């Protein structure tokens, strides 16, 4: 399976949070969605700089990964920059 980057997950969190939700509410929904993905065996990590390598796992616990994502989202004002945070893979 091809790696998926953060932006579609942010879009999904916006949908889950509902129309007119604040960024804080969307971030909360985002962490729930990512937590559910991790519970189902999805790998979270960084995209390898080498062609064909896919996602390099963070090798963090679920809680550590969620804290890292939460901390990283606070560093960017524009959700389009979230692509710099992490990637996901089911492989």
């Amino acid at each position: 399976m091809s790696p998926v980057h953060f932006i579609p997950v942010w879009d999904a969190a916006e949908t889950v949070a509902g129309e007119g939700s604040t960024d804080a509410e969307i971030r909360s929904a985002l962490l729930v969605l990512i937590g559910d993905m991790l519970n189902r065996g999805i790998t979270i990590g960084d995209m390898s700089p080498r062609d064909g390598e896919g996602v390099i796992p963070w090798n963090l616990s679920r809680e550590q990964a969620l804290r890292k994502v939460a901390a990283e989202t606070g560093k960017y004002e524009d959700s389009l920059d979230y692509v710099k945070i992490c990637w996901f893979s089911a492989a």
Side-chain angles (χ1 to χ4, degrees), residues 5-89:
H5 62 84
F6 200 91
I7 299 302
V9 179
W10 177 262
D11 292 344
E14 284 182 311
T15 300
V16 168
E19 187 174 331
S21 296
T22 65
D23 278 351
E25 291 168 329
I26 297 168
R27 282 188 181 96
S28 179
L30 174 76
L31 294 175
V32 170
L33 289 174
I34 292 173
D36 288 347
M37 290 168 53
L38 297 175
N39 287 344
R40 289 172 172 75
I42 300 296
T43 299
I44 188 171
D46 298 309
M47 179 55 76
S48 174
R50 296 183 209 145
D51 288 339
E53 281 194 7
V55 174
I56 301 170
W58 282 349
N59 293 321
L60 300 174
S61 71
R62 178 185 181 278
E63 291 74 25
Q64 290 170 322
L66 291 174
R67 280 195 302 270
K68 181 174 180 170
V69 168
E72 290 293 318
T73 59
K75 294 179 181 179
Y76 300 102
E77 291 185 29
D78 186 345
S79 63
L80 293 177
D81 289 328
Y82 290 176
V83 71
K84 301 172 187 173
I85 295 173
C86 64
W87 288 71
F88 304 97
S89 178

